[in-house]
Amino acid sequence: ERNRVGVCSAGYGELILLGEASHAMSIFGGLFKKKQVELDDPVFGHLTFDQGVWTSIPTPPTSGFMITVAAPEVGPTAEQRSFFQHIRSLLPDLQKQARDYMQSRVDQSVDVSRLSVYSVEIGSVEETGRREFVLELSDEDAIVIHRVSFRADEPVDYGFDD
C-alpha cells in the first residue's frame, strides 16, 4: 500500500501526485527527463545541444559572448569552425559595421556606441557556405537585443528582440 501513487489533474496542465512523493518522482523523473548532450569543442568551447542548435554560454557571463551553431547532434562541422574563426578575427570591425548599419534604423534614443556583441549565430552548413551569420548586440542590461544579419562580411538586415 505504501508505494501506491495516484495522479490527478489540477487544471492548467498541472499534476498532483498522491502517495509516496520520492517514489512518484523517481517514476516520473525517469519518464520525462532527457539527457543533455554536451561537447567540448576545440573552437567553440563547451557546447550544449538542443533542437538542432549547439550553444556556448560564457561563464561568467561577463567574460565573452554567447555562440549558437545550427548543426546536427554530432557537432559543428570543420567549415563552421573555420567560418567562426574568420568572424572572431574580424569581430571589432564587424561590430563597428553593425553599429553603423543600425544607426539610421534604430530609435534615436538608442546609443549604438554603448552596444557590444551579445552573441554570434552561425547558421547551417549551407548558410556558412554563403558566409551568412548574425551578430546580436546589446547594452550591459541586455533588455533589447539588436540583430544584424551579415552576408560576406557585410550587414544586410536589422531587427531586434525585446
Side-chain angles (χ1 to χ4, degrees), residues 64-66 91 95 115-120 135-138:
F65 51 86
M66 184 169 53
L91 202 54
Q95 180 176 272
L115 303 178
S116 60
V117 175
Y118 175 82
S119 79
V120 176
L135 276 187
E136 290 187 328
L137 296 96
S138 71

Side-chain angles (χ1 to χ4, degrees), residues 1-19:
E1 284 303 336
R2 276 191 68 160
N3 291 332
R4 234 177 159 163
V5 177
V7 179
C8 67
S9 174
Y12 303 104
E14 297 176 19
L15 293 177
I16 297 175
L17 302 176
L18 309 170

Side-chain angles (χ1 to χ4, degrees), residues 28-86:
F28 289 102
L31 289 175
F32 300 113
K33 192 170 189 173
K34 184 180 176 188
K35 186 176 188 274
Q36 181 148 17
V37 178
E38 297 183 10
L39 172 69
D40 286 317
D41 187 89
V43 172
F44 296 109
H46 186 77
L47 296 167
T48 56
F49 181 77
D50 188 29
Q51 299 180 9
V53 177
W54 288 95
T55 304
S56 173
I57 299 175
T59 52
T62 56
S63 69
F65 51 86
M66 184 169 53
I67 305 164
T68 59
V69 185
E73 195 168 337
V74 295
T77 65
E79 292 86 359
Q80 289 170 313
R81 286 182 186 100
S82 176
F83 186 50
F84 177 71
Q85 288 174 315
H86 168 77

